[in-house]
């Protein structure tokens, strides 16, 4: 067991450190109301990528604040449904990757939608329009704005929910058999998506990011993906006079506070040597999930490839075929 973390028996009952805003539920109801009143203006454009097992499309839709969001869409050939679907979310700062990555699931009969996060490495738009620092990182985007509705990850979480609704409404998709998966940021977005769209039946988050920010800070692990937390305090609150206010505001976009909304079955994976997304922050979210769940623990692994888990996850997702 890694010496930087609490013992496993304590991890299994740890319920988080970062404060939850008093108006958290009202905040997310207001956010969902905004999303539901947004016309997504869905557009599907055939992609140049060709495959013998899937029809491939560029999917575009309009998210909250008017941003145009992009996702890859793969529909199995010779199958007009209704079929199961899986939503895929990528790691921090990058994009949805290559079409090839999703062909195995498409060949197995799943429609796949893989979203690019706004403002990161893909084709989705970031409209901006926020007061305050935007120098580094998306966690702190909008933190100095007086309106917490301008936190960037609030809008990214809503993008995942909008994508889920769009896919569920596709005539060839069975809306009762939709799953979600992703690692790191993608793991955090998987949890957020399934919380905001509780009809999602199965979800497989891997070492999820975006959880229990204050715990990360207390462990002196505001580095790598969480480095912007450290840089924010150094640049904008060096005496920590606003520390409680800042962490409380970050609580709006802390996935641990959304996790108890999940209704679908959960399969999670974590490495106990993870110093990027510390295990306690992951357990803070996992322990709040009330639906059927299982966690696969890798004692000697960190924020890296977890041997064998891709096969475990694939078999788990095959349950959507039933």
């Amino acid at each position: 067991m890694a010496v930087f973390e609490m013992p496993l028996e304590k991890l299994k009952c740890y319920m988080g450190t970062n404060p939850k805003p008093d108006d958290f539920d009202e905040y997310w109801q207001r956010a969902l109301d905004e999303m539901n009143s947004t016309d997504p203006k869905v557009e599907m454009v055939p992609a140049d990528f060709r495959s013998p097992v899937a029809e491939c499309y560029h999917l575009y839709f309009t998210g909250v604040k008017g941003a145009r969001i992009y996702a890859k869409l793969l529909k199995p050939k010779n199958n007009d449904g209704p079929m199961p679907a899986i939503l895929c979310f990528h790691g921090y700062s990058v994009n949805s990757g290559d079409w090839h990555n999703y062909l195995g699931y498409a060949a197995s009969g799943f429609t796949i939608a893989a979203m690019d996060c706004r403002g990161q490495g893909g084709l989705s738009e970031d409209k901006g329009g926020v007061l305050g620092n935007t120098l580094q990182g998306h966690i702190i985007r909008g933190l100095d704005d007086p309106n917490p509705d301008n936190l960037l990850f609030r809008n990214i979480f809503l993008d995942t929910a909008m994508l889920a609704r769009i896919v569920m409404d596709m005539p060839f998709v069975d809306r009762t058999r939709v799953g979600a998966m992703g690692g790191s940021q993608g793991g955090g977005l998987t949890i957020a998506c399934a919380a905001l769209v509780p009809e999602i039946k199965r979800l497989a988050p891997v070492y999820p990011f975006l959880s229990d920010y204050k715990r990360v800070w207390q462990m002196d692990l505001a580095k790598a993906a969480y480095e912007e937390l450290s840089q924010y305090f150094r640049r904008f609150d060096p005496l920590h006079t606003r520390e409680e206010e800042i962490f409380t505001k970050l609580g709006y976009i802390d996935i641990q506070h959304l996790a108890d909304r999940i209704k679908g079955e959960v399969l999670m994976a974590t490495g106990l040597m993870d110093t990027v997304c510390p295990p306690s922050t992951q357990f803070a979210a996992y322990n709040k999930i009330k639906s059927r769940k299982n966690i696969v623990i890798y004692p000697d692994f960190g924020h890296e490839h977890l041997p064998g888990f891709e096969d475990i996850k694939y078999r788990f997702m095959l349950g959507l075929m039933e």
Side-chain angles (χ1 to χ4, degrees), residues 38-286:
T38 300
D39 181 356
K41 300 177 183 176
V42 177
E43 181 183 11
M44 286 176 56
V45 180
D48 291 337
F49 186 84
R50 296 288 183 268
S51 164
V53 301
E55 300 170 10
C56 300
Y57 298 91
H58 301 294
L59 172 67
Y60 299 91
F61 65 91
T62 299
V64 296
K65 314 297 184 189
R68 200 70 176 154
I69 307 301
Y70 170 81
K72 292 179 172 68
L73 185 79
L74 295 86
K75 175 185 176 292
K77 285 187 175 179
N78 305 316
N79 188 344
D80 292 324
M83 67 186 81
I86 300 176
L87 313 171
C88 301
F89 302 113
H90 64 74
Y92 199 25
S93 81
V94 290
N95 58 38
S96 54
D98 295 338
W99 295 94
H100 175 271
N101 296 340
Y102 308 105
L103 290 179
Y105 281 95
S108 299
F110 294 96
T111 288
I112 298 292
M115 189 187 84
D116 285 353
C117 291
R118 60 171 76 193
Q120 297 187 19
L123 299 179
S124 291
E125 227 176 16
D126 177 11
K127 285 288 192 180
V130 61
L131 295 176
N133 169 62
T134 61
L135 177 64
Q136 182 179 31
H138 283 186
I139 296 172
I140 62 171
R141 181 76 64 86
L143 195 55
D144 288 329
D145 195 293
N147 184 357
D149 290 359
N150 288 326
L151 288 165
L152 181 62
F153 264 112
R154 177 254 199 196
N155 301 330
I156 295 174
F157 288 3
L158 290 173
D159 291 339
T160 71
M162 179 78 87
L163 178 66
R165 294 299 187 198
I166 290 168
V167 170
M168 287 177 172
D169 285 342
M170 290 178 172
F172 48 84
V173 169
D174 181 347
R175 65 182 303 112
T176 69
R177 294 188 292 153
V178 175
M181 64 185 186
S184 195
Q185 175 185 252
L189 296 183
T190 293
I191 289 173
C193 183
L196 297 175
V197 185
E199 298 94 323
I200 289 176
K201 188 173 182 181
R202 292 198 171 204
L203 55 150
V206 180
Y207 35 64
F209 180 47
L210 306 170
S211 183
D212 207 4
Y213 303 106
K214 192 170 186 178
R215 170 68 177 167
V216 174
W217 174 259
Q218 290 176 342
M219 295 179 72
D220 192 28
L221 288 174
K223 304 167 184 175
Y226 285 109
E227 182 181 8
E228 59 209 69
L229 296 178
S230 173
Q231 292 302 316
Y232 181 88
F233 279 114
R234 287 176 59 85
R235 291 169 177 156
F236 306 111
D237 188 23
L239 300 182
H240 282 241
T241 58
R242 297 171 53 221
E243 179 178 315
E244 193 64 20
E245 169 199 339
I246 287 166
F247 282 118
T248 300
K249 195 167 185 179
L250 286 171
Y252 288 119
I253 55 169
D254 188 333
I255 61 166
Q256 66 166 316
H257 300 321
L258 285 165
D260 64 357
R261 299 178 176 214
I262 292 170
K263 304 296 184 186
E265 184 175 353
V266 180
L267 174 68
M268 190 165 129
T270 187
L272 296 184
M273 299 293 287
D274 192 339
T275 56
V276 176
C277 296
S280 54
T281 68
Q282 299 176 46
F283 274 93
Y286 180 80

